[in-house]
Amino acid sequence: MTGGGGTAGSAPAAGGGTAAHNSVTGGTHGTVVQAGHIEHLVVHQAPPPPDEVTVAPPWGRRGTPLRGRGALLARLRAATGTHVLYGLGGVGKTSLALETASAFAAGGAPVWWVAAQDSGRLAGGLRAVARRVGLREDEPAAGQTADLLWERLAALPGPWLLVVDNADELALLDGPGSLAAGTGWVRAPAAVGGLVLVTTRDGDPAAWGTGPELHPLGALSGAEGARVLADRAGEGAGPVTDAELLAVRLGGLPLALDGAGRYLTSVAERPAFLRTPGEPATYGAYLAALGAGDVSLDGDGTLARIWAVVEARGRRFGPDHPDTLAARFNLATLLEPAAARAELTAVLEARTRVLGPGHPVTAATRAALTRTLPG
């Protein structure tokens, strides 16, 4: 008897004879073979075909120039080891990773981009990277792909970049081992010139361990946000002062700024007779519409996504956890600026209590409070 093409050896029959040799070839799913006695059974089960994944960077998502991240971008271009970009959704983590990838590719370095939203795409992408660096399909034993992948990466000459994008569920990065212990899917590369760049909403130092370097991404300043708006909407949308006021009102969140700029561009491109009466076409008018509570301006779903983050953080960490409070702050900034300062102050107090006043994350929050909401 076989499963998937294996054979069972002959069995002695009663009375000293030899039983007929039982053999099945070809596919055997759902097949039953009767045998009086089996001495040896070999079953070969073909592995399921791997899911199709791509490890090519999503170059098509590059758009307007990256604003407000120049210093960190320059640092990442020269960096090695494992670096983690963390912050709320829409703060520009993926955009910064994509610009870093562009710089590496322009210099001739290999770049791999692995999506980490779920275990299938993460594991499939990293296995694809392993094959790109020389690991054969039949080479790894069960559970050893991660070890062999990092051995191959350590042996690579010259610079290279591995981006692991949207790794919000850190448990997935444990893989066969532990992220914090350096035995998971994501590790610190031993190769000189190798850079691993991870984007995530979770910047908990305890979860990441001592290997990676953590970089919090916060809101853009009013001036930086105004440049993002102008990149999309152009000079015709109003003066720079109005753009800065709108940028502050939108919390300096790049995703919200990009959405507002796209909205104003779409209005400007339509003839006047096709516009809805009162439809904002300038920074000032958009700001006034936000003040009036016109949530229809959330055409790209930015507010809905931030609210989903608030709810998810609340379920996972509790309503008073620093990360939950930070998500609430972003939503408050967009909807009710008078409440935004109280929200960020609550974030600062929570992080001071949990992490300590001298922790880098606490210091970054304090700086954001001073820069984004002065007074």
Side-chain angles (χ1 to χ4, degrees):
M1 173 182 172
T2 70
T7 57
S10 301
T18 301
H21 183 80
N22 295 301
S23 178
V24 179
T25 61
T28 60
H29 293 291
T31 302
V32 177
V33 179
Q34 181 176 355
H37 180 74
I38 298 175
E39 287 184 343
H40 180 62
L41 177 66
V42 178
V43 178
H44 298 286
Q45 183 174 1
D51 293 333
E52 292 292 330
V53 296
T54 178
V55 292
W59 301 124
R61 293 170 64 179
R62 294 183 71 206
T64 55
L66 186 70
R67 301 297 187 186
R69 312 296 188 197
L72 182 52
L73 175 61
R75 183 176 177 184
L76 292 173
R77 292 175 65 174
T80 59
T82 299
H83 292 249
V84 177
L85 305 176
Y86 73 91
L88 292 174
V91 81
K93 304 180 295 293
T94 297
S95 296
L96 178 54
L98 197 52
E99 288 304 309
T100 306
S102 176
F104 269 73
V111 177
W112 307 286
W113 190 285
V114 174
Q117 290 95 327
D118 55 66
S119 59
R121 278 182 281 189
L122 173 65
L126 290 172
R127 290 189 179 102
V129 174
R131 291 192 292 274
R132 295 286 184 92
V133 296
L135 194 65
R136 300 191 310 273
E137 290 270 6
D138 60 347
E139 186 173 356
Q144 292 185 353
T145 303
D147 290 342
L148 293 174
L149 165 63
W150 288 100
E151 288 177 8
R152 288 291 197 283
L153 289 174
L156 285 183
W160 52 264
L161 172 64
L162 169 61
V163 176
V164 180
D165 190 34
N166 289 320
D168 297 328
E169 294 296 330
L170 298 192
L172 299 180
L173 301 186
D174 285 333
S178 166
L179 172 65
T183 58
W185 273 123
V186 172
R187 308 178 185 181
V192 176
L195 173 62
V196 179
L197 189 58
V198 186
T199 71
T200 179
R201 292 174 178 171
D202 195 336
D204 181 5
W208 286 99
T210 59
E213 184 172 348
L214 306 182
H215 303 279
L217 260 63
L220 298 178
S221 68
E224 294 163 343
R227 296 180 70 187
V228 174
L229 288 169
D231 287 337
R232 284 296 184 193
E235 297 180 356
V240 174
T241 51
D242 285 355
E244 290 186 4
L245 290 173
L246 178 56
V248 172
R249 176 61 195 275
L250 292 174
L253 193 68
L255 182 63
L257 295 167
D258 185 76
R262 287 175 181 271
Y263 178 92
L264 292 173
T265 299
S266 70
V267 173
E269 289 175 346
R270 295 199 305 271
F273 68 88
L274 292 179
R275 299 178 188 173
T276 303
E279 191 173 27
T282 65
Y283 301 131
Y286 194 101
L287 185 62
L290 283 176
D294 187 357
V295 295
S296 65
L297 297 178
D298 187 35
D300 63 349
T302 297
L303 299 180
R305 282 193 291 273
I306 295 177
W307 177 246
V309 171
V310 174
E311 291 185 315
R313 292 290 170 87
R315 288 192 300 269
R316 180 178 178 186
F317 301 116
D320 296 323
H321 189 276
D323 287 342
T324 306
L325 293 173
R328 284 169 48 199
F329 158 70
N330 272 267
L331 190 63
T333 302
L334 294 173
L335 295 179
E336 183 53 59
R341 185 169 187 83
E343 288 285 352
L344 187 53
T345 300
V347 173
L348 176 61
E349 291 174 349
R351 288 185 168 170
T352 301
R353 183 175 64 253
V354 174
L355 302 174
H359 193 280
V361 175
T362 305
T365 306
R366 188 181 303 109
L369 178 61
T370 303
R371 182 185 70 248
T372 309
L373 296 169

